[in-house]
Amino acid sequence: EPEVTQTPSHQVTQMGQEVILRCVPISNHLYFYWYRQILGQKVEFLVSFYNNEISEKSEIFDDQFSVERPDGSNFTLKIRSTKLEDSAMYFCASSDPDNPFFGPGTRLTVL
Amino acid sequence: AQKVTQAQTEISVVEKEDVTLDCVYETRDTTYYLFWYKQPPSGELVFLIRRNSFDEQNEISGRYSWNFQKSTSSFNFTITASQVVDSAVYFCALSEARGFQKLVFGTGTRLLVSP
């Protein structure tokens, strides 16, 4: 069964460093998303991406964040200068017209 | 604006008890989707069900059942004869019925099933 994959599963970084979280969506999906879940809290939408551009972004998704689909398979989330409050689980998702499918998540720890 | 409320923060039951997780939603859309996800301790989001706003039939899948009532804007989830493996955080979510489906999640209900 096709699935969304994410790497790495856990990333530890120092405050101020740049991180890139990687996702491989399901191959025939057209819509891609990033969500964030701070420990013990709800899952929050960050950004959606369609047709090689951002279709919607939340207030959380400020200038420190960017997304890219550098080739036909990967979908990345970059955080330019990480802050302590960026520590969270980051979920990638892709969808066909009916259902979003979530990846297993990347746990980002900012020290 | 869309909103999902899961008023139950945590529920504790003993194995084999039935348990219902509540979900109340708000939306101005006439067409929308409702979802339930399970998040076990390992952290991934496990899809359980999607329901569109035009289908108010209750659904049963094994020990799981869902009660969708538009009149009260609720989409409740019942686990019959709960098991220890059901221990997890359960999230209800809502999306517009468009091509790209941003999900709005509730705050989740932590279910603890003890032996």
Side-chain angles (χ1 to χ4, degrees), chain B residues 13-19 79-84 86 113-114:
Chain B
V13 298
V14 177
E15 217 171 11
K16 296 184 185 173
E17 282 185 29
D18 298 348
V19 58
I79 302 174
T80 303
S82 58
Q83 299 176 0
V84 172
D86 295 328
V113 183
S114 53

Side-chain angles (χ1 to χ4, degrees), chain B residues 59-75:
Chain B
E59 174 138 352
I60 298 175
S61 176
R63 296 184 297 108
Y64 295 170
S65 62
W66 291 269
N67 184 346
F68 176 30
Q69 293 199 341
K70 279 178 92 166
S71 60
T72 55
S73 298
S74 65
F75 186 45

Side-chain angles (χ1 to χ4, degrees), chain B residues 13-72:
Chain B
V13 298
V14 177
E15 217 171 11
K16 296 184 185 173
E17 282 185 29
D18 298 348
V19 58
T20 295
L21 310 181
D22 297 334
C23 173
V24 174
Y25 62 92
E26 295 174 32
T27 180
R28 292 180 185 164
D29 298 320
T30 54
T31 306
Y32 50 88
Y33 290 116
L34 294 162
F35 299 79
W36 276 94
Y37 286 88
K38 174 182 180 180
Q39 188 174 45
S42 49
E44 72 272 25
L45 289 168
V46 179
F47 169 82
L48 296 177
I49 190 172
R50 181 187 73 129
R51 179 63 86 188
N52 77 53
S53 53
F54 293 114
D55 184 359
E56 285 194 74
Q57 273 194 323
N58 291 335
E59 174 138 352
I60 298 175
S61 176
R63 296 184 297 108
Y64 295 170
S65 62
W66 291 269
N67 184 346
F68 176 30
Q69 293 199 341
K70 279 178 92 166
S71 60
T72 55

Side-chain angles (χ1 to χ4, degrees), chain A residues 33 35 37 42 56 98-99, chain B residues 39 43 50 101-103 106:
Chain A
Y33 316 81
Y35 289 81
Q37 184 184 30
K42 68 177 178 182
E56 187 174 355
D98 294 326
N99 283 324
Chain B
Q39 188 174 45
R50 181 187 73 129
Q101 299 178 339
K102 175 187 81 173
L103 294 183

